[in-house]
Short mmCIF file of all heavy atoms in Angstrom, two decimals:
data_model
loop_
_atom_site.label_atom_id
_atom_site.label_comp_id
_atom_site.label_asym_id
_atom_site.label_seq_id
_atom_site.Cartn_x
_atom_site.Cartn_y
_atom_site.Cartn_z
N SER A 337 54.10 126.44 114.61
CA SER A 337 54.02 127.28 113.46
C SER A 337 53.52 126.49 112.23
O SER A 337 53.90 125.32 112.03
CB SER A 337 55.41 127.82 113.14
OG SER A 337 55.37 128.75 112.06
N GLY A 338 52.64 127.12 111.49
CA GLY A 338 52.08 126.48 110.35
C GLY A 338 50.93 125.53 110.60
O GLY A 338 50.46 124.84 109.66
N GLN A 339 50.44 125.49 111.82
CA GLN A 339 49.30 124.63 112.19
C GLN A 339 48.10 125.49 112.31
O GLN A 339 48.06 126.66 112.04
CB GLN A 339 49.62 123.88 113.49
CG GLN A 339 50.88 123.04 113.43
CD GLN A 339 50.75 121.93 112.46
OE1 GLN A 339 49.72 121.13 112.42
NE2 GLN A 339 51.76 121.73 111.57
N ARG A 340 47.01 124.89 112.81
CA ARG A 340 45.73 125.54 113.13
C ARG A 340 45.69 125.76 114.63
O ARG A 340 45.93 124.77 115.38
CB ARG A 340 44.57 124.80 112.55
CG ARG A 340 44.80 124.39 111.06
CD ARG A 340 43.65 123.59 110.51
NE ARG A 340 42.52 124.43 110.20
CZ ARG A 340 42.42 125.18 109.09
NH1 ARG A 340 43.38 125.16 108.19
NH2 ARG A 340 41.31 125.83 108.80
N ILE A 341 45.41 126.94 115.04
CA ILE A 341 45.59 127.30 116.49
C ILE A 341 44.46 128.08 117.02
O ILE A 341 43.88 128.93 116.36
CB ILE A 341 46.92 128.15 116.65
CG1 ILE A 341 48.12 127.46 116.00
CG2 ILE A 341 47.19 128.44 118.14
CD1 ILE A 341 49.36 128.38 115.91
N LYS A 342 44.09 127.77 118.22
CA LYS A 342 43.13 128.57 119.03
C LYS A 342 43.74 128.83 120.37
O LYS A 342 44.23 127.94 121.04
CB LYS A 342 41.79 127.86 119.19
CG LYS A 342 40.78 128.55 120.05
CD LYS A 342 40.25 129.84 119.43
CE LYS A 342 39.17 130.49 120.25
NZ LYS A 342 38.71 131.78 119.70
N VAL A 343 43.77 130.12 120.78
CA VAL A 343 44.40 130.51 122.02
C VAL A 343 43.43 131.37 122.85
O VAL A 343 42.72 132.22 122.32
CB VAL A 343 45.69 131.30 121.76
CG1 VAL A 343 46.28 131.83 123.04
CG2 VAL A 343 46.72 130.43 121.06
N LYS A 344 43.43 131.14 124.13
CA LYS A 344 42.70 132.02 125.10
C LYS A 344 43.64 132.29 126.23
O LYS A 344 44.67 131.66 126.43
CB LYS A 344 41.48 131.26 125.59
CG LYS A 344 40.37 131.10 124.53
CD LYS A 344 39.21 130.27 125.04
CE LYS A 344 38.08 130.19 124.05
NZ LYS A 344 37.37 131.46 123.95
N ALA A 345 43.27 133.31 127.10
CA ALA A 345 44.21 133.71 128.11
C ALA A 345 43.46 134.32 129.33
O ALA A 345 42.27 134.73 129.18
CB ALA A 345 45.25 134.65 127.59
N ALA A 346 44.16 134.49 130.38
CA ALA A 346 43.64 135.23 131.60
C ALA A 346 44.78 135.74 132.42
O ALA A 346 45.79 135.01 132.55
CB ALA A 346 42.67 134.32 132.39
N TYR A 347 44.59 136.89 133.02
CA TYR A 347 45.50 137.36 134.08
C TYR A 347 45.02 136.73 135.37
O TYR A 347 43.85 136.74 135.68
CB TYR A 347 45.43 138.83 134.23
CG TYR A 347 46.17 139.67 133.17
CD1 TYR A 347 45.54 140.18 132.09
CD2 TYR A 347 47.56 139.94 133.34
CE1 TYR A 347 46.19 141.00 131.16
CE2 TYR A 347 48.21 140.70 132.41
CZ TYR A 347 47.54 141.23 131.32
OH TYR A 347 48.19 142.03 130.41
N LEU A 348 45.94 136.24 136.19
CA LEU A 348 45.61 135.60 137.48
C LEU A 348 46.19 136.44 138.62
O LEU A 348 47.37 136.71 138.65
CB LEU A 348 46.18 134.21 137.60
CG LEU A 348 45.76 133.24 136.45
CD1 LEU A 348 46.23 131.86 136.74
CD2 LEU A 348 44.22 133.21 136.28
N ARG A 349 45.33 136.86 139.52
CA ARG A 349 45.75 137.57 140.72
C ARG A 349 46.20 136.61 141.86
O ARG A 349 46.88 137.02 142.81
CB ARG A 349 44.60 138.47 141.24
CG ARG A 349 44.46 139.72 140.44
CD ARG A 349 43.22 140.50 140.88
NE ARG A 349 43.31 141.91 140.46
CZ ARG A 349 42.32 142.72 140.32
NH1 ARG A 349 41.05 142.27 140.56
NH2 ARG A 349 42.51 143.98 140.01
N THR A 350 45.69 135.37 141.80
CA THR A 350 46.02 134.33 142.72
C THR A 350 46.19 133.04 141.95
O THR A 350 46.01 132.98 140.68
CB THR A 350 44.88 134.11 143.76
OG1 THR A 350 43.74 133.49 143.09
CG2 THR A 350 44.52 135.40 144.44
N GLY A 351 46.61 131.99 142.64
CA GLY A 351 46.64 130.69 142.01
C GLY A 351 45.20 130.20 141.69
O GLY A 351 44.22 130.84 142.07
N LEU A 352 45.10 129.08 141.00
CA LEU A 352 43.81 128.53 140.64
C LEU A 352 43.04 128.10 141.90
O LEU A 352 43.66 127.65 142.85
CB LEU A 352 43.99 127.34 139.70
CG LEU A 352 44.72 127.59 138.40
CD1 LEU A 352 44.88 126.28 137.63
CD2 LEU A 352 43.93 128.66 137.57
N THR A 353 41.76 128.27 141.88
CA THR A 353 40.91 127.81 142.97
C THR A 353 40.78 126.26 142.93
O THR A 353 41.10 125.65 141.88
CB THR A 353 39.52 128.45 142.89
OG1 THR A 353 38.83 127.95 141.72
CG2 THR A 353 39.62 129.97 142.84
N ASP A 354 40.25 125.70 143.94
CA ASP A 354 40.13 124.24 143.98
C ASP A 354 39.12 123.81 142.90
O ASP A 354 39.29 122.75 142.26
CB ASP A 354 39.56 123.82 145.33
CG ASP A 354 40.65 123.89 146.42
OD1 ASP A 354 41.85 123.94 146.08
OD2 ASP A 354 40.28 123.87 147.62
N THR A 355 38.06 124.60 142.68
CA THR A 355 37.10 124.36 141.63
C THR A 355 37.78 124.37 140.30
O THR A 355 37.51 123.52 139.41
CB THR A 355 35.92 125.34 141.72
OG1 THR A 355 35.26 125.20 142.98
CG2 THR A 355 34.93 125.05 140.60
N GLN A 356 38.60 125.33 140.05
CA GLN A 356 39.31 125.40 138.75
C GLN A 356 40.26 124.27 138.55
O GLN A 356 40.35 123.75 137.44
CB GLN A 356 39.98 126.75 138.66
CG GLN A 356 39.07 127.98 138.46
CD GLN A 356 39.88 129.30 138.46
OE1 GLN A 356 40.82 129.46 139.24
NE2 GLN A 356 39.45 130.17 137.58
N LEU A 357 40.99 123.89 139.57
CA LEU A 357 41.87 122.71 139.46
C LEU A 357 41.12 121.49 139.10
O LEU A 357 41.56 120.71 138.23
CB LEU A 357 42.62 122.55 140.81
CG LEU A 357 43.66 123.67 141.11
CD1 LEU A 357 44.09 123.50 142.59
CD2 LEU A 357 44.86 123.51 140.22
N ALA A 358 39.97 121.24 139.72
CA ALA A 358 39.16 120.10 139.41
C ALA A 358 38.63 120.16 137.97
O ALA A 358 38.56 119.18 137.25
CB ALA A 358 37.97 119.97 140.40
N THR A 359 38.26 121.39 137.55
CA THR A 359 37.77 121.58 136.18
C THR A 359 38.84 121.31 135.14
O THR A 359 38.60 120.62 134.13
CB THR A 359 37.21 123.00 136.03
OG1 THR A 359 36.15 123.20 136.94
CG2 THR A 359 36.71 123.23 134.60
N ALA A 360 40.05 121.82 135.45
CA ALA A 360 41.16 121.63 134.52
C ALA A 360 41.47 120.11 134.37
O ALA A 360 41.68 119.60 133.27
CB ALA A 360 42.37 122.43 134.98
N TYR A 361 41.54 119.42 135.51
CA TYR A 361 41.84 118.01 135.48
C TYR A 361 40.73 117.25 134.65
O TYR A 361 41.08 116.39 133.84
CB TYR A 361 41.88 117.44 136.89
CG TYR A 361 42.31 115.96 136.92
CD1 TYR A 361 43.59 115.60 136.79
CD2 TYR A 361 41.32 115.00 137.06
CE1 TYR A 361 43.96 114.26 136.84
CE2 TYR A 361 41.68 113.65 137.07
CZ TYR A 361 43.01 113.29 136.98
OH TYR A 361 43.31 111.96 136.94
#
Side-chain angles (χ1 to χ4, degrees):
S337 185
Q339 301 295 312
R340 310 178 78 81
I341 307 170
K342 176 67 176 176
V343 174
K344 293 175 173 287
Y347 282 98
L348 304 185
R349 285 175 157 156
T350 69
L352 300 177
T353 67
D354 290 342
T355 299
Q356 288 176 320
L357 290 167
T359 300
Y361 183 80

